[in-house]
Amino acid sequence: MRNVVCDNAYVAHHGGASFGPLGLEPDANSMQRLLAKHPDDVRALILYGGIQQVRKENKAAATAYERVLELDPQQERVYSLLGNIYLEAGDLKQAKTLFEKLIAHFPASYAGHYYLGRIYAKQKKVEEAEAQFLKTLELAPDLLEPRFE
């Protein structure tokens, strides 16, 4: 791997080097250049989607994440990232579909059940929400904080 400091996208693409110690962050322009050369690079698409989310460019982030899932449906975290974009936008139907796919691909994913519970709660479907929250706690009992009364 060559040592490239000026092209953050290259560093991110080749080896997933940490940007923290150098104080570097890849920028959207570098990532767009990288994606123009490697449009099917899953790691680059995930990084680009994250950059766009930070910039509040959720449509661009969603497009990148959708492409990731087309290329590699085993990217568990991306289902949550994309589902939350839809959830924040108020598109409960799309969000629900994503979280259902997350659970279908990863049955032990507590996140999928948690977010489905949130969607059902927003829809005032109390029994469905409760069932999803209980499944969340079954899969991840550490999420429930101990309380001293």
Side-chain angles (χ1 to χ4, degrees):
M1 180 173 147
R2 64 180 223 209
N3 183 7
V4 178
V5 175
C6 62
D7 191 348
N8 298 338
Y10 181 90
V11 176
H13 177 63
H14 296 283
S18 170
F19 298 101
L22 299 176
L24 300 174
E25 290 184 20
D27 62 76
N29 293 331
S30 296
M31 293 308 302
Q32 285 175 331
R33 286 193 309 274
L34 175 66
L35 288 170
K37 293 178 185 175
H38 307 282
D40 294 340
D41 186 312
V42 170
R43 291 175 63 194
L45 284 163
I46 293 170
L47 186 56
Y48 180 72
I51 292 167
Q52 295 298 10
Q53 270 191 286
V54 168
R55 297 175 69 211
K56 304 291 186 214
E57 298 289 341
N58 288 341
K59 193 171 193 172
T63 300
Y65 293 147
E66 287 166 355
R67 182 68 181 139
V68 168
L69 294 177
E70 287 173 14
L71 294 167
D72 183 3
Q74 296 303 308
Q75 292 291 329
E76 183 175 358
R77 178 86 173 108
V78 176
Y79 289 96
S80 292
L81 293 169
L82 182 56
N84 276 304
I85 288 173
Y86 292 133
L87 194 58
E88 288 176 18
D91 189 343
L92 300 183
K93 183 178 178 181
Q94 278 287 83
K96 183 175 182 275
T97 298
L98 257 293
F99 295 123
E100 287 171 342
K101 285 181 181 180
L102 172 59
I103 293 167
H105 284 283
F106 304 94
S109 170
Y110 70 86
H113 292 284
Y114 170 76
Y115 288 112
L116 275 180
R118 285 189 56 200
I119 290 168
Y120 288 133
K122 284 179 180 273
Q123 296 173 331
K124 309 282 192 238
K125 296 179 178 178
V126 177
E127 288 180 21
E128 291 94 333
E130 184 178 305
Q132 293 300 321
F133 290 139
L134 288 173
K135 184 67 175 178
T136 300
L137 291 175
E138 177 186 316
L139 293 169
D142 293 343
L143 292 178
L144 188 61
E145 296 179 15
R147 304 265 182 200
F148 297 98
E149 308 269 335

